[in-house]
């Protein structure tokens, strides 16, 4: 019986294997844009955390914003799915894309872009903290070796 109670206590402390919620049930809280980044208007942003990986290197969040134009710096790799509205995104290289409901986009960490929102946008964001450069280099080498091995086996 004591063993069973201990197992139940450990099980109770374990993170949920599935975290699920409807986006309309996530409590959005104020997430102000750095005023120095605002180029036009008065964009009001809000965010809600949905989940975080156990190693804290991955986060899923909901974010929305009203009309305005601002620069944005991506500290983490970020993949977004636009849920509602649209945004015009101008990358550092000057390329422009309009993202609308249903569109998916990826933003590399360490980059800037300009976001222009005419009325409103809501996105789901999947953020991943990049590996430190020495570790990232090891993964690149490992992946290259795997590709060579696969090519040799396939050829």
């Amino acid at each position: 019986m004591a063993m069973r109670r201990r197992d139940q206590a450990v099980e109770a402390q374990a993170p949920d294997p599935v975290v699920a919620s409807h986006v309309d049930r996530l409590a959005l809280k104020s997430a102000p844009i750095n005023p120095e980044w605002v180029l036009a208007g008065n964009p009001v942003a809000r965010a809600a955390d949905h989940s975080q990986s156990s190693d804290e290197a991955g986060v899923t969040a909901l974010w929305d914003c009203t009309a305005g134009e601002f620069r944005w710096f991506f500290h983490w790799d970020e993949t977004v799915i636009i849920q509602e509205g649209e945004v015009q995104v101008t990358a550092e290289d000057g390329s422009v894309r309009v993202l609308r409901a249903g569109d998916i986009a990826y933003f590399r960490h360490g980059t800037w872009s300009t976001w222009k929102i005419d009325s409103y946008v809501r996105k789901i964001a999947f953020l991943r903290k990049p590996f430190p450069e020495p570790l990232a280099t090891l993964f690149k080498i490992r992946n290259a070796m795997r590709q060579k091995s696969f090519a040799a086996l396939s050829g």
Side-chain angles (χ1 to χ4, degrees):
M1 191 71 142
M3 179 64 89
R4 183 173 178 195
R5 286 189 197 137
R6 187 171 39 225
D7 289 346
Q8 288 173 340
V10 169
E11 186 175 292
Q13 294 172 1
D16 291 334
V18 176
V19 178
S21 178
H22 191 280
V23 293
D24 291 338
R25 292 192 187 108
L26 294 174
L28 290 159
K29 296 177 183 169
S30 179
I33 296 166
N34 183 333
E36 295 176 6
W37 298 356
V38 176
L39 302 173
N42 184 27
V44 176
R46 302 179 302 166
D49 290 335
H50 172 265
S51 54
Q52 183 173 19
S53 62
S54 58
D55 64 1
E56 300 180 4
V59 174
T60 302
L62 180 66
W63 182 89
D64 75 354
C65 189
T66 60
E69 185 174 2
F70 51 89
R71 303 262 296 135
W72 192 263
F73 182 75
F74 292 88
H75 293 280
W76 294 23
D77 289 331
E78 184 172 332
T79 300
V80 303
I81 299 174
I82 304 300
Q83 292 267 291
E84 185 178 338
E86 69 178 48
V87 57
Q88 177 182 301
V89 178
T90 304
E92 288 178 298
D93 66 3
S95 62
V96 178
R97 292 190 170 79
V98 176
L99 303 175
R100 295 179 178 91
D103 288 341
I104 186 170
Y106 169 77
F107 299 90
R108 191 173 316 282
H109 82 281
T111 60
W112 285 91
S113 65
T114 300
W115 285 51
K116 183 180 179 196
I117 302 166
D118 289 332
S119 61
Y120 175 78
V121 70
R122 180 174 75 180
K123 69 178 183 178
I124 294 176
F126 305 94
L127 300 101
R128 186 185 67 84
K129 192 180 300 183
F131 289 121
E133 193 54 42
L135 188 55
T137 300
L138 290 174
F139 271 93
K140 289 174 188 174
I141 292 168
R142 181 202 69 170
N143 291 342
M145 292 172 59
R146 282 184 172 175
Q147 288 176 351
K148 286 182 182 181
S149 296
F150 181 75
L153 292 172
S154 299

